[in-house]
């Protein structure tokens, strides 16, 4: 049985004070979230604050990106070892904003996934299509290509130590959401693609939905058999919204 995961992606938002208020709110309601794990993936500059505030709580935390390199002359980058020093369990890899705005290729995402796994982090590997690609009917081609790059680098056993997040790019921050049926169709495709390599890994793989999941649609999305929680953007910046999604994902 896959325990749902609801991971907040704060993106480039927050101040020390707003982060404190948000974390206090999430901590206060976390014990009422039964049946789902909560995590927050925050800007690097807040990791020490998050570690101090969430230590001993049921809430995990992580980074939003990492370098594929262990150390060296890579100004502005952060290594897996650095994330581990701040108690991170998770790291987001290959988010559509990294792919689009920073030009990250499928191969680079695969290398970052490998670096995270080698360090003992759990990568949340993002895959998904643009609106143009969906309208062209190539969603499965795009998602399959992105997933295959990771599989080729880390194998099915490595992917089994990851979390996959399906994020239709056209539904991120737009207010548009894939219908539960549309989301389930792609999640089922991802699981079947992995099952072709290893059925046991596919069965245990957590696949999150990452396209504008909110309190009012979370229960319907998470009720689908292959949707195991969410990678939450804007709603993760409001404690009660984030907790409400966690409760919905956990079935309570």
């Amino acid at each position: 049985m896959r325990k749902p995961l609801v991971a907040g992606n704060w993106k480039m938002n927050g101040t020390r004070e707003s982060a404190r208020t948000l974390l206090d709110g999430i901590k206060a309601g976390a014990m009422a979230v039964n049946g789902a794990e909560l995590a927050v993936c925050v800007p690097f500059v807040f990791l020490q604050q998050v570690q101090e505030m969430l230590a001993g709580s049921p809430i995990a935390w992580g980074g939003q990106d990492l370098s594929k390199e262990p150390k060296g002359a890579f100004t502005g980058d952060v290594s897996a070892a650095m994330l581990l020093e701040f108690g991170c369990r998770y790291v987001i890899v290959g988010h559509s904003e990294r792919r689009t705005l920073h030009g990250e290729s499928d191969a680079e995402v695969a290398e970052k996934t490998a670096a995270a796994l080698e360090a003992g982090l759990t990568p949340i590997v993002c895959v998904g299509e643009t609106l143009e690609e969906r309208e062209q009917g190539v969603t499965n081609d795009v998602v399959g290509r992105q997933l295959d790059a990771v599989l080729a680098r880390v194998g099915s056993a490595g992917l089994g130590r990851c979390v996959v997040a399906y994020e239709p790019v056209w539904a991120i921050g737009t207010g548009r959401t894939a219908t539960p049926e549309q989301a389930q169709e792609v999640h089922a495709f991802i699981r079947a693609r992995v099952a072709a390599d290893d059925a046991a890994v596919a069965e245990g793989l957590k696949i999150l939905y990452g396209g504008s999941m909110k309190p009012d649609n979370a229960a319907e999305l998470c009720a689908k058999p292959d949707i195991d929680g969410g990678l939450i953007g804007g709603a993760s910046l409001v404690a009660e919204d984030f907790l409400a999604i966690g409760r919905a994902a956990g079935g309570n």
Side-chain angles (χ1 to χ4, degrees):
M1 183 68 178
R2 300 181 300 270
K3 186 174 183 178
L5 169 64
V6 174
N9 175 14
W10 290 8
K11 305 192 180 185
M12 195 176 71
N13 291 296
T15 62
R16 284 184 64 85
E17 186 55 38
S18 69
R20 181 173 303 280
T21 300
L22 177 55
L23 291 169
D24 278 340
I26 294 172
K27 283 174 63 178
M31 295 307 294
V33 177
N34 299 315
E37 179 189 354
L38 297 178
V40 291
C41 294
V42 306
F44 299 131
V45 294
F46 296 137
L47 282 174
Q48 182 174 355
Q49 182 182 22
V50 167
Q51 182 181 33
E52 291 171 352
M53 291 189 66
L54 296 185
S57 81
I59 307 161
W61 60 92
Q64 297 177 353
D65 185 36
L66 82 164
S67 174
K68 64 182 180 181
E69 304 293 342
K71 63 180 180 179
F74 304 101
T75 301
D77 285 351
V78 172
S79 72
M82 292 173 181
L83 295 178
L84 286 172
E85 280 205 297
F86 290 93
C88 290
R89 183 186 306 173
Y90 295 103
V91 61
I92 299 172
V93 179
H95 190 280
S96 63
E97 290 156 4
R98 300 293 310 179
R99 293 178 187 264
T100 302
L101 301 178
H102 296 269
E104 289 189 7
S105 66
D106 295 342
E108 187 170 3
V109 171
E111 290 299 326
K112 289 186 174 188
T113 302
L117 289 173
E118 288 164 10
L121 292 164
T122 299
I124 300 175
V125 182
C126 299
V127 298
E129 83 283 13
T130 65
L131 179 59
E132 181 181 7
E133 288 164 341
R134 171 161 282 272
E135 290 178 339
Q136 290 174 350
V138 295
T139 292
N140 288 356
D141 294 336
V142 172
V143 172
R145 185 199 74 225
Q146 294 168 341
L147 192 63
D148 286 351
V150 176
L151 276 166
R153 179 63 179 84
V154 304
S156 57
L159 191 67
R161 295 164 50 208
C162 300
V163 173
V164 173
Y166 167 57
E167 42 161 23
V169 180
W170 49 274
I172 299 173
T174 64
R176 300 179 63 175
T177 308
T179 66
E181 292 72 25
Q182 287 174 320
Q184 165 59 23
E185 182 179 4
V186 181
H187 281 236
F189 166 78
I190 292 169
R191 202 174 304 282
R193 191 82 163 209
V194 178
D197 272 3
D198 191 312
V201 166
E203 179 58 31
L205 182 66
K206 289 182 184 179
I207 309 175
L208 312 184
Y209 175 71
S212 296
M213 184 181 283
K214 295 180 172 58
D216 60 359
N217 63 22
E220 191 176 7
L221 284 162
C222 291
K224 295 298 182 182
D226 291 300
I227 299 180
D228 305 311
L231 180 60
I232 314 303
S236 71
L237 300 174
V238 180
E240 184 46 47
D241 286 355
F242 184 62
L243 291 165
I245 293 170
R247 291 192 297 270
N252 58 292

